[in-house]
Amino acid sequence: MKKAFIKPLFETWIKSTMPLSIKGNIIEIGTPKQFVKEWLESRYVPVIKAALKAAANKDFDIIFINMDIDMEGVEETSLLAIEKQAATEASPATNVEKLDAEPAPPEIADKNIPNDAINNADYLKILDDIGDIPEAAASLSADTAAAEIIPQTNNFREKQEKHPVQPITTPAPAAPEECNLNPKYVFSTFVIGNSNRLAHAASLAVSEAPAQVYNPFFIYGGVGLGKTHLMHAIGHRIRENNPNIKVVYISSEKFTNELINSIISGNPESFRQRYRSIDVLLVDDIQFLSKKEHTQEEFFHTFNTLHDANKQIIISSDRPPREIQTLEDRLRSRFEWGLITDIQPPDLETRIAVLRKKAMMENLNVPNEVIVYIASRIENNIRELEGALIRVIAYASLNNQPIDIDLATEALKDIFPNGRPKQITTDLIQEIVAGHFKIKLEDLSAKKRTRNVAFPRQIAMYLCRELTETSLPKIGEIFGGRDHTTVIHAHDKISKERNSDAKLNNTIKELIKRIES
Ligand SMILES: Nc1ncnc2c1ncn2[C@@H]1O[C@H](COP(=O)(O)OP(=O)(O)OP(=O)(O)O)[C@@H](O)[C@H]1O
């Protein structure tokens, strides 16, 4: 029983982490958020150490590093609630002591994973087993809280009770394939960045209260930027919350073809019936309806019928309604009734985060250098970004070689003919940061702690961590023989401040641009 409750906790918190490197007995684990890092540090270290020891037969020191990746559903409030609940139900200290004192259970100890050979897949498997350790389960005794709180991170149910969306169709839930929804396009696989934050938030709002908040909901943006992904994610979430709601996703081209076929076969009424009896209609790439007058006419009536019946309509396009040539005015004005939101090309950080997430989903350890190489070259299309990474992964797999920068350069030579990237070194970063802040290069490694030196030093440490493969102890050494915890502190501090200080964020973006150019 207990394990069933522990799983959501594991799925949400532990699985959101990723191994970054193993150097000797230090394992660096990336966390998506600072509060996840703090929570793991304060509660999980003994449990994870025990699992790693059982798997690799070696004692590891764990360093958590906040990577500040946005993850839908990961909210600090739910963590705190879990903790509160746990505190009232069990004493974590007691359980941790117990875990340290007792040997690991056989199913974990039996895994014969060699030292230093823990890759991402092994890591997740090992940590997944934490749910199987009875002591660990006890130490996470937030069982009921975990089961209840995580689904409540979206307050859909509450809203549903207040404003029920009544399905107008048959009670039998539609199979996912009838909805045409891609199982991979869900909120949890969508990386949030500045370029899509609003579109993502609005999509969540629509999915939590269909036909209540923004109707129609119109998303526009360039090719391969995640419009379809978000539409599908809305469809999935609505269906998760109420499987009886009939959701249909269709491209405007397919809509046109089906309409034409129904006319050719002399049965346009069946087409009308099908599209006017839907609860949530998602129409992708509506710009293809321009110039198709008859289809526009048909879509206009479908739109009106659904909207009048308080059904949700979600539309995507590569441009805003007013820029879709030869779109009938009455359709255009209807599209403008609800919310229009755009997705912009992702910034470097988001591109890096997308690639890291993708690598993590594939259980692959892709060096930071390779991620930065790809992310800094493909700026305007996440589909192409993913394609480049897939190409590197396939190349490594076919040649049975580990992924490194040489292999990536070779695999992508047709796409990036300029070849190998300029090597980003800690020297280069120090030089550019010192030049920008008009301080002496030596000051970065000096003992001085005045703010005019300490702050640029923290930024330089942060950039070394972000843009190079250099280990934390090595970065500490480069910056005047400082301890690796100083580097971690600098990295965390700058990551946090970037989120709240737009000026600092711009400075860092500018520095990254100069380092890479
Ligand atoms: N923010 C994101 N996080 C993770 N993956 C993303 C993100 N944005 C896009 N992708 C991925 O990029 C690929 C292309 O996205 P999608 O098909 O949604 O783009 P689109 O804007 O609909 O493009 P098009 O205009 O060509 O239809 C998909 O594999 C999608 O999962």
Side-chain angles (χ1 to χ4, degrees):
M1 278 301 286
K2 196 152 252 175
K3 198 181 151 199
F5 292 120
I6 292 303
K7 274 289 173 193
L9 199 63
F10 168 80
E11 292 290 331
T12 308
W13 306 114
I14 304 276
K15 239 182 174 175
S16 71
T17 68
M18 66 190 291
L20 298 176
S21 70
I22 301 175
K23 308 239 165 61
N25 68 338
I26 299 179
I27 177 163
E28 292 179 357
I29 298 176
T31 66
K33 286 277 163 232
Q34 177 66 17
F35 63 84
V36 175
K37 170 178 179 289
E38 285 165 12
W39 193 71
L40 293 176
E41 275 172 351
S42 65
R43 293 183 58 91
Y44 266 101
V45 171
V47 178
I48 297 174
K49 273 188 173 180
L52 289 169
K53 176 153 192 190
N57 196 21
K58 182 172 172 179
D59 284 313
F60 281 96
D61 281 333
I62 303 172
I63 297 174
F64 292 104
I65 295 165
N66 169 29
M67 291 160 61
D68 217 25
I69 297 171
D70 282 324
M71 291 188 63
E72 185 271 321
V74 176
E75 288 168 16
E76 192 164 10
T77 43
S78 47
L79 241 180
L80 294 174
I82 290 171
E83 272 210 308
K84 209 167 150 206
Q85 177 89 6
T88 57
E89 290 184 5
S91 155
T94 319
N95 293 316
V96 166
E97 274 164 29
K98 214 169 142 205
L99 185 77
D100 275 349
E102 289 180 17
E107 68 259 39
I108 287 193
D110 283 351
K111 283 196 176 67
N112 202 8
I113 300 174
N115 288 355
D116 289 331
I118 302 178
N119 62 23
N120 203 355
D122 297 330
Y123 165 81
L124 282 178
K125 270 188 237 146
I126 292 163
L127 294 186
D128 201 3
D129 284 333
I130 289 172
D132 293 333
I133 305 176
E135 293 84 349
S139 83
L140 306 173
S141 70
D143 46 11
T144 45
E148 284 161 14
I149 288 164
I150 289 169
Q152 281 173 11
T153 54
N154 77 56
N155 52 0
F156 174 76
R157 272 176 198 90
E158 207 183 305
K159 283 193 181 141
Q160 274 286 88
E161 276 155 26
K162 283 192 201 143
H163 311 283
V165 176
Q166 293 296 337
I168 55 175
T169 51
T170 55
E177 58 275 15
E178 285 175 37
C179 308
N180 299 325
L181 296 178
N182 182 332
K184 288 188 185 158
Y185 293 172
V186 287
F187 281 121
S188 59
T189 55
F190 190 84
V191 173
I192 307 157
N194 292 332
S195 55
N196 58 30
R197 196 176 302 280
L198 203 67
H200 172 267
S203 300
L204 266 183
V206 169
S207 62
E208 285 181 11
Q212 305 292 327
V213 278
Y214 308 122
N215 198 16
F217 176 46
F218 192 103
I219 314 176
Y220 74 90
V223 173
L225 294 184
K227 303 181 293 294
T228 306
H229 190 137
L230 274 183
M231 291 178 101
H232 284 237
I234 297 172
H236 283 298
R237 179 60 64 83
I238 290 174
R239 279 179 46 80
E240 271 159 38
N241 289 328
N242 187 344
N244 289 329
I245 288 188
K246 189 168 177 190
V247 176
V248 170
Y249 164 88
I250 188 157
S251 68
S252 67
E253 278 179 312
K254 195 159 179 237
F255 185 88
T256 309
N257 289 343
E258 285 192 15
L259 174 64
I260 292 168
N261 287 340
S262 74
I263 295 168
I264 292 172
S265 62
N267 196 3
E269 208 36 50
S270 68
F271 175 86
R272 283 182 195 136
Q273 277 306 316
R274 171 164 156 71
Y275 284 100
R276 293 182 197 177
S277 63
I278 286 167
D279 298 305
V280 179
L281 177 63
L282 306 136
V283 184
D284 210 352
D285 291 323
I286 200 87
Q287 74 274 6
F288 292 126
L289 284 198
S290 69
K291 296 193 185 137
K292 293 180 182 135
E293 279 170 31
H294 187 74
T295 316
Q296 281 190 32
E297 171 82 21
E298 195 58 47
F299 184 70
F300 175 75
H301 293 300
T302 304
F303 184 103
N304 284 347
T305 308
L306 291 177
H307 201 270
D308 290 351
N310 205 26
K311 304 300 166 188
Q312 178 72 51
I313 301 157
I314 300 162
I315 298 160
S316 90
S317 168
D318 65 351
R319 64 202 85 166
R322 64 177 177 283
E323 286 177 22
I324 306 177
Q325 304 280 321
T326 67
L327 185 68
E328 274 192 52
D329 279 348
R330 54 185 186 161
L331 255 187
R332 183 175 296 120
S333 75
R334 269 161 182 72
F335 292 167
E336 287 169 352
W337 278 352
L339 180 73
I340 301 177
T341 184
D342 66 328
I343 303 187
Q344 291 295 322
D347 54 22
L348 179 70
E349 290 81 351
T350 311
R351 301 198 301 273
I352 290 176
V354 166
L355 291 172
R356 276 190 186 142
K357 182 147 201 163
K358 183 92 189 153
M360 196 170 153
M361 279 159 50
E362 301 286 328
N363 281 332
L364 277 169
N365 225 337
V366 179
N368 211 23
E369 207 184 353
V370 172
I371 300 251
V372 174
Y373 173 45
I374 299 173
S376 56
R377 272 165 177 71
I378 299 178
E379 296 185 347
N380 295 320
N381 187 328
I382 294 185
R383 189 180 293 115
E384 283 179 7
L385 201 63
E386 286 184 344
L389 180 65
I390 289 166
R391 200 173 166 131
V392 171
I393 294 170
Y395 194 91
S397 163
L398 289 172
N399 292 292
N400 205 14
Q401 283 174 3
I403 297 176
D404 60 20
I405 191 68
D406 290 330
L407 179 132
T409 312
E410 183 59 27
L412 299 174
K413 65 174 189 271
D414 298 338
I415 307 178
F416 310 142
N418 293 342
R420 210 191 148 99
K422 177 172 83 173
Q423 185 80 20
I424 297 179
T425 60
T426 53
D427 283 350
L428 177 71
I429 292 172
Q430 287 191 325
E431 210 177 286
I432 288 179
V433 172
H436 178 87
F437 287 98
K438 301 192 174 44
I439 57 172
K440 287 192 216 127
L441 198 54
E442 311 85 85
D443 285 344
L444 289 175
S445 40
K447 291 272 170 279
K448 280 188 207 168
R449 290 193 184 179
T450 47
R451 181 165 163 90
N452 70 324
V453 173
F455 191 53
R457 185 185 294 134
Q458 286 175 332
I459 291 180
M461 285 180 178
Y462 168 84
L463 290 171
C464 289
R465 182 73 205 146
E466 284 290 304
L467 302 179
T468 74
E469 283 292 289
T470 318
S471 70
L472 291 167
K474 184 79 195 155
I475 297 175
E477 196 186 309
I478 292 165
F479 284 83
R482 291 176 156 82
D483 191 71
H484 72 267
T485 51
T486 309
V487 184
I488 294 173
H489 170 74
H491 186 272
D492 285 355
K493 179 169 175 281
I494 301 297
S495 307
K496 255 195 204 156
E497 287 180 15
R498 271 191 87 174
N499 288 333
S500 54
D501 182 345
K503 197 168 156 229
L504 172 64
N505 194 28
N506 285 339
T507 304
I508 290 181
K509 280 185 179 167
E510 181 56 31
L511 287 168
I512 292 176
K513 222 185 250 170
R514 283 167 57 188
I515 290 163
E516 286 178 339
S517 62

